[in-house]
Amino acid sequence: MHKRPFGVDKTMVSEVGLGTWQIGGSWGVVEDKTAMEILQTATEAGITFFDTADVYGDGRSERLIGKFLTQHAGKVFVATKLGRGSDPGWPDNFTPEAMIQHTNNSLARLGLEQIDLIQLHCIPQKVLADGAVFDVLRELKKQGKIANFGASVESVEEGLLCLKQEGIASLQVIFNLYRQKLITELFGKAQEQGVSIIARVPLASGLLSGKMKKSTTFDVTDHRNFNRNGSAFNVGETFAGIPFEKGVELTDELAKLKPEGMTLAQMALRWILDYEAVSVVIPGASRPSQVLDNVAISDLPPLSPELHKKLEKFYLEKVAQHIRGPY
């Protein structure tokens, strides 16, 4: 597993991390035993970066990671998020009192004295622009409760707002073959300021695995069922904002471009790591075998310049027009 520098202090983390939204339970049921096997497989394979959030399974993801850390203390860089919890809920989540309480709750669930990274979790743009939430984060860092702070954002505009804030360590963004605008509009500015990029939804909620058909169905608890049109939260978090049936059509066509000996998912993940601005990509997993498939991309060679040009053209001509939601 190759590593890349992360954050203000350039801590070295695995370039392939683990997103833990799945084990929270919003992708269908993942039993506790399976969740622990996923975490164990990840660390054994060299992953040192876990991304979670207080809202994943109403704290379940954090609790499972906390249980895992009792036997693996100091081996994992833990990134969590706050701002989307239901207690007290929007807009009261963004008061200093609520943010401090949410941080304390995450510390308790994770069993940590200090969280490596806490991120604002896709909060309203007007709250980001006001900037008071960043003052709270700076105070939490000063108190030693967090080592770094960042923001998970939904659009380039939100990312640029965050880059104005002193001390920000990272931006977490939706970045995949179906969401390429950030390359030219955000990455350069983040690099200039030494702000790390965390790439989420790297396989477009599984679309880029190439294994889905228009007839594919999802569990009632799976966001790919209840949020495919943005009825629960930003539609961009589900299938990268592309209508599911159109996404299947596009993916079938995209698969024709993959190199010999590489799966579509491997090409999609390798493409992300080919960008120097990206510190870590965080594919999730609902079973241990998926972790191993994801880890394997760290040892793959970069895609050719010719293939990169084809993938850019495919996005511009066939994908961009179908993206919905903030971008």
Side-chain angles (χ1 to χ4, degrees):
M1 171 66 71
H2 298 286
K3 294 186 176 182
R4 299 189 182 192
F6 185 93
V8 178
D9 57 2
K10 305 303 178 186
T11 299
M12 299 302 291
V13 301
S14 57
E15 64 182 6
V16 180
L18 178 69
T20 63
W21 191 7
Q22 280 92 331
I23 68 173
S26 292
W27 295 65
V29 177
V30 176
E31 300 294 339
D32 285 11
K33 181 177 181 293
T34 301
M36 299 305 287
E37 290 173 351
I38 289 169
L39 298 175
Q40 181 68 38
T41 300
T43 54
E44 290 178 353
I47 289 177
T48 65
F49 189 103
F50 287 178
D51 180 82
T52 186
D54 57 5
V55 76
Y56 292 169
D58 193 25
R60 180 174 185 251
S61 177
E62 287 185 332
R63 285 191 293 271
L64 288 167
I65 291 173
K67 181 179 179 182
F68 180 78
L69 292 177
T70 60
Q71 302 297 319
H72 300 82
K75 295 182 180 180
V76 178
F77 185 102
V78 179
T80 193
K81 310 181 205 65
L82 59 78
R84 299 193 68 86
S86 58
D87 182 17
W90 288 19
D92 296 329
N93 280 346
F94 316 121
T95 65
E97 295 78 13
M99 291 177 66
I100 291 167
Q101 186 59 57
H102 290 167
T103 300
N104 288 337
N105 292 344
S106 288
L107 283 164
R109 285 189 290 264
L110 291 164
L112 296 172
E113 294 184 0
Q114 183 184 70
I115 297 170
D116 295 309
L117 173 71
I118 203 159
Q119 305 157 90
L120 300 171
H121 196 179
C122 302
I123 70 175
Q125 183 170 320
K126 64 180 181 181
V127 179
L128 290 174
D130 174 76
V133 287
F134 292 97
D135 292 333
V136 181
L137 295 176
R138 280 186 277 266
E139 179 60 27
L140 287 167
K141 182 176 180 179
K142 183 178 178 180
Q143 293 176 8
K145 292 185 177 183
I146 63 175
N148 299 276
F149 63 86
S152 180
V153 297
E154 301 284 11
S155 67
V156 168
E157 186 176 0
E158 290 178 357
L160 294 175
L161 281 173
C162 293
L163 289 179
K164 296 179 181 179
Q165 293 295 329
E166 181 181 355
I168 190 167
S170 63
L171 290 175
Q172 185 173 144
V173 298
I174 301 174
F175 183 53
N176 56 52
L177 282 167
Y178 291 160
R179 304 273 287 209
Q180 297 189 26
K181 185 171 75 170
L182 290 77
I183 298 168
T184 56
E185 298 192 19
L186 184 65
F187 283 5
K189 292 180 175 64
Q191 282 184 287
E192 287 174 8
Q193 295 180 217
V195 174
S196 297
I197 294 292
I198 304 169
R200 74 178 187 274
V201 199
L203 294 177
S205 306
L207 262 183
L208 289 168
S209 69
K211 298 178 181 179
M212 293 180 181
K213 301 178 180 179
K214 291 184 180 180
S215 59
T216 300
T217 59
F218 305 95
D219 189 89
V220 67
T221 64
D222 193 320
H223 75 102
R224 294 172 293 182
N225 176 20
F226 65 77
N227 193 61
R228 63 171 56 189
N229 291 311
S231 58
F233 42 82
N234 176 25
V235 69
E237 301 287 352
T238 304
F239 302 127
I242 298 172
F244 177 66
E245 291 77 11
K246 173 55 66 174
V248 172
E249 293 176 10
L250 290 168
T251 302
D252 288 345
E253 189 172 353
L254 181 67
K256 299 173 184 177
L257 297 178
K258 70 180 181 66
E260 187 71 27
M262 190 178 290
T263 67
L264 178 60
Q266 287 175 330
M267 179 183 76
L269 292 172
R270 184 62 252 179
W271 176 84
I272 292 171
L273 288 183
D274 283 354
Y275 289 91
E276 185 182 359
V278 175
S279 290
V280 56
V281 59
I282 50 169
S286 56
R287 55 183 182 274
S289 61
Q290 290 178 328
V291 176
L292 297 177
D293 289 342
N294 295 336
V295 165
I297 67 161
S298 183
D299 286 329
L300 293 177
L303 305 181
S304 69
E306 293 76 18
L307 180 53
H308 270 278
K309 290 179 181 178
K310 290 179 181 179
L311 294 171
E312 179 185 12
K313 181 179 180 183
F314 184 85
Y315 161 76
L316 291 172
E317 295 182 355
K318 301 189 176 184
V319 179
Q321 61 188 299
H322 299 293
I323 296 174
R324 300 170 296 172
Y327 184 27

